[in-house]
Amino acid sequence: DALIGRGEVMRAMGRLAEAVSDYDTALLFAPDRFEAVFLRAAALHALGHHDQAIAGYDHALAIRPDDPSTLHNRAIVESELYRFENALAGFRRLAAIDASYPHALGNVAYFGAHLCDWRERTDLVAAIEAGVRGGKDVCAPLTFLSISPDAASQLRCARIHVAERHRYT
């Protein structure tokens, strides 16, 4: 726990290599400790070590196969590597597990459009529009522009998005 905590502090301070080292040491004692595996992958991602991050997220998914944050982060890394098919598959899996996860549905729509995959477009657009009407952060505002021509809905989507990202506690 202490090594994972120190790793989190190092990561928060931007000392990512030290964070990875702390997580590595923690994993010597508990190789399948989900928190250490997940946070190590996140630190590797932040360092730009994409393939190592994917391997780390795969390890985390072996421990918790349906963890929404891991599925999300892994799909993001795939998208950064321009592996849009893999990103879409990851976001589809995330949406199937937790459609309310922020931007899960929006990312399915976004990467589906990148790949000209329109199979689920009608249902997806309806679900995204319903989410925005319900005040949910289901889609990035720029993606929503390609989904809804309604200016009031676009504004609502943008306000939801900003409110979720800039909460004051």
Side-chain angles (χ1 to χ4, degrees), residues 43-76:
L44 288 166
H45 179 200
L47 283 166
H49 301 298
H50 294 91
D51 289 328
Q52 289 177 304
I54 287 174
Y57 288 131
D58 286 343
H59 183 187
L61 288 169
I63 300 165
R64 289 189 192 164
D66 295 335
D67 182 69
S69 294
T70 306
L71 291 167
H72 174 266
N73 289 4
R74 189 187 188 291
I76 290 293

Side-chain angles (χ1 to χ4, degrees), residues 81-165:
L81 293 170
Y82 301 99
R83 298 177 188 162
F84 297 140
E85 295 88 359
N86 294 347
L88 178 58
F91 285 119
R92 278 186 173 142
R93 183 171 169 206
L94 172 59
I97 290 167
D98 184 0
S100 68
Y101 192 90
H103 296 212
L105 295 175
N107 280 319
V108 172
Y110 180 79
F111 289 104
H114 264 300
L115 297 167
C116 298
D117 183 340
W118 313 114
R119 288 177 285 173
E120 59 198 340
R121 185 74 176 181
T122 302
D123 292 338
L124 192 56
V125 167
I128 291 168
E129 288 175 330
V132 169
R133 278 192 307 276
K136 307 283 189 213
D137 190 23
V138 294
C139 189
L142 290 177
T143 299
F144 194 72
L145 289 174
S146 70
I147 291 171
S148 174
D150 180 59
S153 294
Q154 293 169 357
L155 178 60
R156 182 168 176 77
C157 178
R159 285 183 172 158
I160 293 165
H161 180 79
V162 170
E164 287 297 314
R165 295 215 167 17

Side-chain angles (χ1 to χ4, degrees), residues 6-19:
R6 184 177 188 279
E8 288 182 85
V9 170
M10 292 296 114
R11 196 164 64 102
M13 293 172 54
R15 295 164 60 177
L16 300 170
E18 291 173 78

